[in-house]
Amino acid sequence: MNDVFRQRLQNLREQKRISRIVLSELCGLPPDAIRRYERGEAEPSMGSLMLIADFFEVSTDYLLGRSE
């Protein structure tokens, strides 16, 4: 995954003032998923990417840096 995704994910999460673990739980992901995505240790599946985008009410293209 690219740096844009990691940075946008972190920025959106921090704007909502929620922890990585809480965001993972709210999206139905494993507890360490968001931490791993933000650190670039793992890439989200398409399903996980869609869950994150839906939670933040943004497009997957925005998360991936394909749109503003």
Side-chain angles (χ1 to χ4, degrees):
M1 201 61 43
N2 60 40
D3 289 337
V4 173
F5 168 73
R6 296 186 344 228
Q7 189 62 49
R8 287 187 176 179
L9 174 59
Q10 183 175 351
N11 288 343
L12 288 167
R13 181 181 59 76
E14 289 175 350
Q15 287 173 8
K16 292 263 189 190
R17 296 182 180 175
I18 56 177
S19 70
R20 292 171 175 154
I21 292 174
V22 169
L23 178 57
S24 291
E25 291 173 359
L26 291 172
C27 291
L29 302 171
D32 66 338
I34 299 300
R35 176 186 58 82
R36 294 179 73 216
Y37 300 158
E38 287 184 1
R39 290 184 177 181
E41 297 170 356
E43 294 185 4
S45 66
M46 182 56 69
S48 296
L49 189 64
M50 290 177 6
L51 289 169
I52 294 166
D54 288 347
F55 178 82
F56 288 116
E57 298 180 345
V58 298
S59 69
T60 55
D61 279 350
Y62 173 78
L63 283 176
L64 296 173
R66 297 175 50 126
S67 70
E68 290 301 316

